[in-house]
Amino acid sequence: MTADLFESVAEVLPSRQAMAEGAVLLRGFARPAEAGLLAALRQIEAQAPFRRMFTPGGHQMSVAMTNCGCCGWVTDASGYRYDGADPESGNPWPAMPAAFRDLAEAAAREAGFAGFAPDACLINRYEPGARMSLHQDRDEKDFAAPIVSVSLGLPAIFLFGGLKRTDRPQRYRLEHGDVVVWGGPSRLSFHGVAPLADGEHPALARRRINLTFRKAR
Ligand code: SIN
Ligand code: FE2
């Protein structure tokens, strides 16, 4: 009984794994905030439903997206940008919930980026087979702020490379509650997600949700 208790505590205790200079994986960091995050997510989704956007080259993305905060990351025939309004409805994006902001700020602080003040959160929804090819996050005004990325639901293989597209990426299995923070010398690192394997998650069923916090403006 005591041994079981220790094992289950060890499972949910956060731990830190250095990935590169300025990049760290905080395992389980979001677990204590899970209920608040999922409740806030349901509200956002009701106001600004997930949609699969088109790249400027005309390809429909396999990942479905929505946003909250001052502005949302969007892509269409005219390019990638942050937009203050949801192009589907014309309404402003839902405000960033306190549960989201608090978690992102705490994770950034834990990773050595105290004072991170995210103004935008891109929310990615992966269903089995969905993937994100290697890219840099570079549509933000100021690269001094880090990126904070929260994984919920089904596990995924996160690819984290270097500053050149051709640098061979490292592979990390990200599980429900894991948080990755990259900034400083890693801020423009190429990253992506391998095709999502099918599975069933107790809270999110056959989905992976990724919250990506940025200082966009
Ligand atoms: C992204 O780069 O926007 C998504 C990363 C992830 O889903 O883990
Ligand atoms: Fe990204």
Side-chain angles (χ1 to χ4, degrees):
M1 151 71 180
T2 313
D4 283 356
L5 183 62
F6 277 121
E7 257 170 43
S8 54
V9 169
E11 263 171 32
V12 297
L13 267 185
S15 77
R16 146 197 301 268
Q17 185 178 349
M19 298 166 66
E21 206 187 333
V24 62
L25 165 50
L26 305 171
R27 292 221 180 262
F29 192 87
R31 291 283 284 269
E34 166 181 347
L37 295 176
L38 294 179
L41 176 66
R42 278 191 291 273
Q43 291 197 354
I44 293 168
E45 213 181 327
Q47 293 173 62
F50 284 102
R51 77 294 307 265
R52 287 174 55 207
M53 300 186 210
F54 287 84
T55 66
H59 297 286
Q60 190 170 23
M61 299 185 77
S62 57
V63 177
M65 298 174 170
T66 185
N67 291 276
C68 65
C70 72
C71 42
W73 186 86
V74 296
T75 170
D76 59 20
S78 62
Y80 307 125
R81 65 188 175 279
Y82 281 95
D83 201 318
D86 176 350
E88 293 285 313
S89 64
N91 297 328
W93 295 101
M96 190 180 305
F100 276 32
R101 176 179 295 105
D102 292 351
L103 174 73
E105 289 179 0
R109 197 178 314 119
E110 183 69 22
F113 299 98
F116 177 52
D119 56 9
C121 177
L122 168 66
I123 307 172
N124 294 310
R125 185 189 71 196
Y126 297 74
E127 289 178 337
R131 60 187 289 271
M132 195 173 290
S133 51
L134 281 181
H135 66 278
Q136 296 168 296
D137 290 359
R138 54 181 318 145
D139 300 317
E140 300 72 32
K141 282 246 159 63
D142 176 3
F143 299 143
I147 301 289
V148 173
S149 168
V150 177
S151 291
L152 297 168
L154 287 180
I157 301 297
F158 182 59
L159 310 170
F160 193 74
L163 299 178
K164 296 200 300 280
R165 186 181 291 280
T166 49
D167 293 336
R168 178 193 283 270
Q170 306 260 64
R171 299 163 70 87
Y172 297 90
R173 183 183 156 95
L174 298 184
E175 297 193 10
H176 183 69
D178 290 349
V179 180
V180 182
V181 181
W182 63 96
S186 287
R187 176 60 180 75
L188 291 175
S189 295
F190 277 88
H191 58 280
V193 175
L196 194 79
D198 203 354
E200 182 75 30
H201 185 271
L204 284 161
R206 295 177 71 207
R207 291 178 299 168
R208 169 178 186 258
I209 299 288
N210 167 258
L211 313 176
T212 301
F213 294 91
R214 293 95 184 266
K215 174 97 184 73
R217 286 187 169 161

